[in-house]
Amino acid sequence: MIERFIPTPAWTSASVFTLVFLAASFSAQAQSARPTNALRAVQPMEGQALVCPPPKIEVELIVQPAPVHNRASVKTMTQYSKSSHPTVGLYRSNQRIYLNTRSMQSRDTQELCVQTVYATYAINHMIDVGNEYLPGTCAFQETLVHERTHERIHIQKAQEAQQHIVRELGRTPIYFSGVNYESDAKAWLNKATEWTKQVYSSYILPAQEAFDSPAEYERFSKACAHELRYHGYNGAGGR
């Protein structure tokens, strides 16, 4: 369990979503298109009280190596994944996205300028290998290799997504003015959190889906055929 406590700023927004990648199936719907930054704030104009340059974007990735469990059976994991064929391994993760800001504001002129956006992505994940396959067996090792690859893809693509977030959110000033400037800033932060979630999904899910290719399952099924076929596994085609 990964816990992260962040001091509560003026406004904080958080989002949680779940990814499950299977050694014998893939159930997530990939988003192929990169989300564009459609977040809009009022652009500062000459003569306004606050000077508002584009914000600094600080990103943080919180992750530890996924622990490996060997307690659940292939049958239990297959029921959990709702797969039509045996699931011999699982990579599961919960993600938390935190966005908060440091801002400068003037109540007299009803203006607010976001100076820094802090974007944190925390991964809590685990790997399951069917308990029919004990450590040291071919099937255990090959399943672990497959799921560790999912883990590496997740982390690598999350880092690439963060680079995208830095580029897009830091492109223009984030400025609000008028009688509703504070509520507009809060609404922007909520939209920014949802947009950030979409960016992570657009990087991570297609890459995971591409890895779970027929060629990978063919390689996986042949590597330990004598052990895997005992449980009816025969590559991506199922039983």
Side-chain angles (χ1 to χ4, degrees):
M1 187 71 176
I2 300 173
E3 295 283 353
R4 176 69 173 181
F5 298 96
I6 299 177
T8 303
W11 307 303
T12 303
S13 187
S15 179
V16 182
F17 61 107
T18 302
L19 302 175
V20 178
F21 302 113
L22 319 179
S25 67
F26 184 83
S27 60
Q29 293 295 317
Q31 299 183 37
S32 58
R34 293 274 187 270
T36 56
N37 185 1
L39 304 168
R40 292 288 180 262
V42 176
Q43 294 300 303
M45 299 172 62
E46 273 189 52
Q48 292 181 316
L50 294 183
V51 176
C52 190
K56 180 181 179 182
I57 313 301
E58 295 189 5
V59 294
E60 181 181 20
L61 176 65
I62 301 173
V63 63
Q64 297 175 352
V68 179
H69 299 287
N70 190 214
R71 298 190 291 264
S73 67
V74 170
K75 180 179 179 181
T76 297
M77 289 193 297
T78 303
Q79 291 172 341
Y80 174 85
S81 67
K82 298 184 172 135
S83 174
S84 60
H85 55 274
T87 298
V88 300
L90 287 171
Y91 170 68
R92 293 184 284 170
S93 66
N94 291 320
Q95 291 67 236
R96 287 189 178 270
I97 296 172
Y98 300 93
L99 253 66
N100 56 56
T101 62
R102 183 171 62 85
S103 303
M104 177 172 58
Q105 63 179 317
S106 169
R107 294 191 181 276
D108 292 338
T109 58
Q110 297 181 324
E111 295 174 86
L112 183 147
C113 175
V114 175
Q115 296 175 304
T116 308
V117 178
Y118 303 95
T120 300
Y121 185 77
I123 304 173
N124 183 17
H125 53 183
M126 64 182 292
I127 290 172
D128 290 293
V129 179
N131 62 15
E132 292 84 353
Y133 309 121
L134 299 178
T137 62
C138 176
F140 180 95
Q141 186 58 34
E142 287 300 318
T143 301
L144 185 59
V145 166
H146 181 94
E147 303 306 335
R148 285 290 187 206
T149 303
H150 276 304
E151 178 184 7
R152 286 195 299 273
I153 290 171
H154 188 176
I155 294 170
Q156 177 188 342
K157 293 302 176 180
Q159 291 169 332
E160 292 178 15
Q162 288 182 322
Q163 294 172 9
H164 181 108
I165 290 164
V166 169
R167 287 194 304 270
E168 292 297 319
L169 290 184
R171 202 178 291 276
T172 58
I174 302 174
Y175 172 88
F176 304 91
S177 67
V179 66
N180 296 320
Y181 75 100
E182 289 184 304
S183 61
D184 288 345
K186 293 176 184 178
W188 177 89
L189 187 58
N190 289 332
K191 285 183 180 179
T193 301
E194 185 59 31
W195 172 81
T196 300
K197 173 182 171 181
Q198 292 172 7
V199 171
Y200 280 113
S201 295
S202 74
Y203 274 82
I204 296 167
L205 298 185
Q208 298 285 23
E209 185 176 38
F211 172 62
D212 277 328
S213 64
E216 166 61 14
Y217 284 127
E218 180 70 13
R219 180 207 65 77
F220 183 79
S221 63
K222 287 181 177 179
C224 311
H226 60 294
E227 294 177 5
L228 293 168
R229 285 176 185 160
Y230 178 78
H231 291 282
Y233 179 81
N234 188 27
R239 294 181 184 274

